[in-house]
Amino acid sequence: MRDDMVKIMGVVLVDDEPAEGVVLRLHPKTGSAAISSGITSKDGSFQISTYSLGDGAPVGEYVVTFVWSEFDSLTRTQVGDRLGGKYAFDDKSKIEWSVPETDVFDAGTIQLQR
């Protein structure tokens, strides 16, 4: 595991309910070009990964985007966004994290609305 990584975890709720399959992406405001991301499990919990599963993200300032698509078994791709694109782009999302130099960053409970 890299020394410059901070483990990041939290929970995503959509309309006050745990949401499975929401993809989170961390967009660095400056510096790192690495893309850090995670996907929520059945209870809405997530861990962020950059280089390996659950390793977290580098210290820094991020805009966090969220997309809640559905799997299309015919095309074998993710399609749509049940959040209507409200959080899909870093210029639209109002959710920002300042990840400090620490072992673990708890992002807490993130409340999204459809």
Side-chain angles (χ1 to χ4, degrees):
M1 183 165 165
R2 296 170 53 127
D3 290 339
D4 62 340
M5 303 300 283
V6 177
K7 286 188 176 280
I8 301 174
M9 63 190 71
V11 174
V12 172
L13 301 179
V14 175
D15 299 329
D16 297 320
E17 297 291 326
E20 181 178 16
V22 176
V23 174
L24 297 83
R25 282 201 168 67
L26 279 62
H27 303 267
K29 289 178 141 184
T30 59
S32 174
I35 298 295
S36 305
S37 63
I39 187 165
T40 58
S41 59
K42 189 174 183 115
D43 64 357
S45 66
F46 66 86
Q47 290 185 0
I48 298 297
S49 303
T50 302
Y51 301 105
S52 62
L53 188 61
D55 67 344
V59 170
E61 304 289 322
Y62 298 92
V63 174
V64 186
T65 59
F66 302 82
V67 174
W68 193 16
S69 56
E70 294 186 58
F71 184 72
D72 181 328
S73 57
L74 183 62
T75 62
R76 297 188 169 274
T77 59
Q78 296 294 120
V79 295
D81 182 3
R82 291 182 264 183
L83 299 170
K86 292 193 324 191
Y87 310 95
F89 303 99
D90 57 349
D91 62 343
K92 279 187 155 186
S93 179
K94 302 288 186 233
I95 298 173
E96 298 185 1
W97 293 346
S98 180
V99 177
E101 197 168 320
T102 185
D103 290 337
V104 178
F105 174 72
D106 185 350
T109 300
I110 299 143
Q111 299 270 358
L112 304 177
Q113 304 297 317
R114 282 192 225 206

